[in-house]
Amino acid sequence: MQHEAHAEHTHHHADHGHGDHSDHADHESHSGHGHGGRHHAPAASWAMAAQATLHCLTGCAIGEVLGMVIGTWLGWGNVATMVAAIALAFVFGYSLTLRGVLKAGVDFRTAFRVALAADTLSIAVMELIDNGVIALWPAAMDAQLGDLLFWGALAISLALAFVATTPVNKWMIGRGKGHAVVHQYHH
């Protein structure tokens, strides 16, 4: 009986090494051994939160700009353009995280779950702020690609989204969520 407990304890500690990380996305699979079923939350510094937010902002900005450019270029209405921009922001946001986790040798299903866990709230907050600013900015929704207002409002809205999302990421990282989950795959 004690040999089984020792073997289980040894296996548990091996999971925290630099070996196979495929089951780290499912935090609830770890139990006992003083961990309360969860990994220890990393210290959440503002620099770490800003780095996570910048990572998220990069994917969001690519998707957001691409969606706005496509919608504006094709003459779509404001709602269709905004939906395209938001959808592409999520696609590119998740894709950047997915790419990094897949590089660590994780299977696609696990990597996808990690990307969802790491980025969903961050992207959602960023998109809410970003698109809210654009929607409320007088004439920004009607600006064309060649207008300074189009690019200026987009740049300012993304900057405000970064400022608003950084505390959210700090809070999530401090609780072992968000980009703290991704960090486990960057040894």
Side-chain angles (χ1 to χ4, degrees), residues 59-60 62-69 71 76 79-91 127 130-131:
C60 286
I62 292 168
E64 187 80 25
V65 170
L66 186 59
M68 292 286 191
V69 168
W76 292 352
V79 173
T81 299
M82 193 172 279
V83 168
I86 292 168
L88 288 172
F90 273 93
V91 167
E127 287 304 298
D130 173 39
N131 286 285

Side-chain angles (χ1 to χ4, degrees), residues 13-173:
H13 284 286
D15 285 346
H16 292 286
H18 294 285
D20 179 23
H21 296 285
S22 62
D23 60 345
H24 276 182
D26 183 13
H27 294 293
E28 297 305 318
S29 67
H30 297 293
S31 60
H33 309 299
H35 292 288
R38 286 177 250 139
H39 292 283
H40 294 286
S45 69
W46 283 106
M48 184 184 294
Q51 183 178 6
T53 306
L54 186 59
H55 178 270
C56 182
L57 179 69
T58 302
C60 286
I62 292 168
E64 187 80 25
V65 170
L66 186 59
M68 292 286 191
V69 168
I70 290 170
T72 302
W73 183 54
L74 295 175
W76 292 352
N78 291 341
V79 173
T81 299
M82 193 172 279
V83 168
I86 292 168
L88 288 172
F90 273 93
V91 167
F92 280 92
Y94 288 142
S95 295
L96 291 180
T97 298
L98 192 60
R99 183 185 63 143
V101 175
L102 286 170
K103 278 185 179 180
V106 177
D107 64 278
F108 182 82
R109 182 175 177 213
T110 301
F112 187 72
R113 287 173 51 197
V114 168
L116 288 177
D119 289 334
T120 300
L121 182 60
S122 182
I123 294 171
V125 169
M126 193 163 288
E127 287 304 298
L128 178 68
I129 301 300
D130 173 39
N131 286 285
V133 169
I134 295 289
L136 295 174
W137 192 308
M141 291 295 293
D142 298 321
Q144 298 299 309
L145 295 176
D147 297 339
L148 179 60
L149 178 59
F150 178 92
W151 296 104
L154 188 58
I156 290 169
S157 69
L158 288 169
L160 291 172
F162 175 84
V163 170
T165 307
T166 300
V168 173
N169 281 324
K170 185 177 187 306
W171 177 79
M172 290 190 329
I173 292 167

